[in-house]
């Protein structure tokens, strides 16, 4: 029992250290939140110290997960650390421990939500370009693996497989980049078209203070009839009191952020580069001069590692189980390659 308390003590100290290291890389509100989390872990640490009767002569090592979090926090301080911390906080050992107070159990549940919120901020900042990058890499891996497997199964020479893979890389990367640019640009233009404009500002001083159609504008934005009428009255009143020697312009309102959409050029470039980086992996064995079965086996191994890595990364960032996401990516990629390989065998037999 005392050993378990000592383990809790070590883990609480390590978690507090993780939050302090993350706070050192942030500023403003996020820094304050992380420091508050570290202080809460300090309260938990004090509880276990009291049960132990003071600082033990020796302490066990922190859990492997906590040590990995600390290592990443000291070196990266990235969204990945927060995503891992979110998963760790959600698996509190205090739920079934009678020596943990109800307040501590409640703290751990709330900590998971706080970290989830912080991780969500980072996910929103990454979502546009990161989405294009991850999907680009996976598309490159799967599509070019399927291509070279299908072409190779027909029995053609190694040089033909290599040229087919390079052609697939260039065609796919250009298509992905162009498609992502059009998609993101169109989405941003659509969102911009829905935002309020200031085209009618210059006529606001000429509206009737108590009866004007500006209230209808605010009703279209979701305000009730009474609130819209009052808002319109205040806006017109301010406009009529302004300097009339220059065209009136309303004070700038907070701009709608499109960070969840991302930038068109950034998304297109990321999609192009990551598709290409993924698509080059299945071609590497033929680039170094291999052919036949050795080339196929090496291509499958390299792509398998890459699919597992990207799947685990997506799992971490989405707050899901990394291993399950990694295996799902691997299964999808190898299934596509297997189907095209079988088709290639059929075509190869027919051609023969």
């Amino acid at each position: 029992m005392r050993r378990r308390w000592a383990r809790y003590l070590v883990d609480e100290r390590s978690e507090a250290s993780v939050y302090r290291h993350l706070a050192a890389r942030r500023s403003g509100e996020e820094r304050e939140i992380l420091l508050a989390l570290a202080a809460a872990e300090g309260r938990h640490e004090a509880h276990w110290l009291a049960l132990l009767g003071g600082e033990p002569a020796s302490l066990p090592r922190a859990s492997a997960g906590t040590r990995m979090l600390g290592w990443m926090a000291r070196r990266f301080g990235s969204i990945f650390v927060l995503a891992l911390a979110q998963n760790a906080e959600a698996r509190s050992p205090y739920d079934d421990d009678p020596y943990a107070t109800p307040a501590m159990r409640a703290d751990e549940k709330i900590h998971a939500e706080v970290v989830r919120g912080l991780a969500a901020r980072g996910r929103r900042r990454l979502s546009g370009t990161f989405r294009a990058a991850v999907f680009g890499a996976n598309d490159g891996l799967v599509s070019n693996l399927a291509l070279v497997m299908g072409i190779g199964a027909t029995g053609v020479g190694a040089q033909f497989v290599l040229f087919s893979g390079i052609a697939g890389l260039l065609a796919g990367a250009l298509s992905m980049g162009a498609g992502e640019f059009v998609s993101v640009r169109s989405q941003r233009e659509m969102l911009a078209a829905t935002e309020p404009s200031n085209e009618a500002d210059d006529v606001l001083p000429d509206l009737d203070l108590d009866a004007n159609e500006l209230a209808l504008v605010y009703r279209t934005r979701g305000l009730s009839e009474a609130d819209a009428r009052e808002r319109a009255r205040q806006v017109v009143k301010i406009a009529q009191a302004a300097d009339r020697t220059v065209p009136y312009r309303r004070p700038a309102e907070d701009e709608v952020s499109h960070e969840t959409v991302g930038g068109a050029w950034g998304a297109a470039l990321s999609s192009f580069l990551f598709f290409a980086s993924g698509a080059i992996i299945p071609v590497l064995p033929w680039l170094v001069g291999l052919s036949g079965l050795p080339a196929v086996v090496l291509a499958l191994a390299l792509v398998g590692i890459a699919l597992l890595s990207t799947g685990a990364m997506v799992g971490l960032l989405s707050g899901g189980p990394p291993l399950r996401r990694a295996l799902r990516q691997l299964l999808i990629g190898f299934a596509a390659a297997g189907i095209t390989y079988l088709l290639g065998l059929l075509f190869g037999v027919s051609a023969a």
Side-chain angles (χ1 to χ4, degrees):
M1 185 168 55
R2 288 180 60 85
R3 182 172 179 80
R4 187 170 73 250
W5 296 347
R7 171 61 59 81
Y8 289 156
L9 172 65
V10 170
D11 284 343
E12 293 289 1
R13 286 177 174 173
S14 297
E15 289 171 11
S17 176
V18 168
Y19 291 133
R20 283 193 292 268
H21 279 107
L22 290 174
R25 296 172 176 267
R26 297 221 178 5
S27 60
E29 184 182 44
E30 289 192 11
R31 175 183 174 85
E32 294 174 4
I33 292 171
L34 288 164
L35 290 175
L37 287 175
E41 303 294 0
R43 293 195 302 270
H44 299 175
E45 174 190 341
H47 172 79
W48 299 118
L49 268 176
L51 286 180
L52 289 166
E55 185 72 24
S58 62
L59 288 171
R61 298 185 69 188
S63 64
T66 305
R67 292 201 306 274
M68 182 177 70
L69 270 178
W71 183 84
M72 292 181 68
R74 287 191 297 272
R75 287 160 178 80
F76 304 112
S78 68
I79 179 62
F80 294 99
V81 182
L82 286 172
L84 286 170
Q86 175 185 331
N87 290 333
E89 292 286 4
R91 299 189 302 269
S92 172
Y94 297 161
D95 291 341
D96 302 319
D97 195 305
Y99 292 95
T101 68
M104 291 171 63
R105 287 191 286 271
D107 281 350
E108 293 298 318
K109 297 292 185 184
I110 297 301
H111 289 181
E113 292 304 311
V114 174
V115 176
R116 180 192 296 272
L118 290 173
R121 292 185 177 188
R123 291 185 184 110
R124 283 192 292 270
R125 288 192 290 265
L126 285 174
S127 60
T129 303
F130 177 77
R131 175 181 57 84
V134 169
F135 286 119
N138 276 284
D139 281 353
L141 285 165
V142 175
S143 65
N144 232 28
L145 176 66
L147 176 64
V148 298
M149 291 293 104
I151 294 294
T154 63
V156 299
Q159 190 175 35
F160 191 86
V161 176
L162 174 61
F163 288 161
S164 298
I166 296 298
L169 182 157
L170 292 174
L174 289 169
S175 175
M176 286 288 295
E180 196 66 34
F181 179 86
V182 172
S183 173
V184 174
R185 176 59 66 86
S186 298
Q187 191 173 359
R188 292 181 70 89
E189 290 171 350
M190 181 180 66
L191 290 173
T194 65
E195 295 175 10
S197 73
N198 61 352
E199 294 177 1
D201 284 3
D202 58 332
V203 301
L204 291 180
D206 299 322
L207 292 175
D208 187 286
L209 184 61
D210 297 310
N212 63 73
E213 282 71 27
L214 185 60
L216 300 178
V217 173
Y218 291 113
R219 289 179 67 181
T220 66
R221 299 179 190 173
L223 294 185
S224 67
E225 183 177 359
D227 290 342
R229 190 184 305 115
E230 179 59 26
R231 177 72 178 275
R233 193 175 189 280
Q234 292 297 323
V235 169
V236 172
K237 186 176 180 180
I238 294 172
Q240 291 177 346
D243 182 7
R244 301 296 298 273
T245 61
V246 295
Y248 177 71
R249 288 289 181 268
R250 276 177 292 180
E253 298 180 1
D254 292 337
E255 294 184 356
V256 178
S257 174
H258 298 327
E259 64 179 6
T260 57
V261 179
W265 283 109
L269 183 60
S270 295
S271 187
F272 177 90
L273 293 177
F274 278 88
F275 184 98
S277 66
I280 194 65
I281 292 176
V283 186
L284 287 176
W286 286 271
L287 275 176
V288 298
L290 294 179
S291 61
L293 184 61
V296 170
V297 171
L298 181 57
L300 288 172
L302 293 174
V303 171
I305 294 171
L307 287 172
L308 289 171
S309 300
T310 56
M313 188 184 304
V314 171
L316 282 175
L317 287 178
S318 64
L323 180 59
R324 187 182 304 170
R325 301 293 173 86
L327 293 175
R328 184 179 67 183
Q329 294 286 93
L330 183 67
L331 178 62
I332 292 172
F334 278 13
I339 291 171
T340 55
Y341 186 79
L342 291 175
L343 290 174
L345 287 177
L346 290 176
F347 280 114
V349 170
S350 300

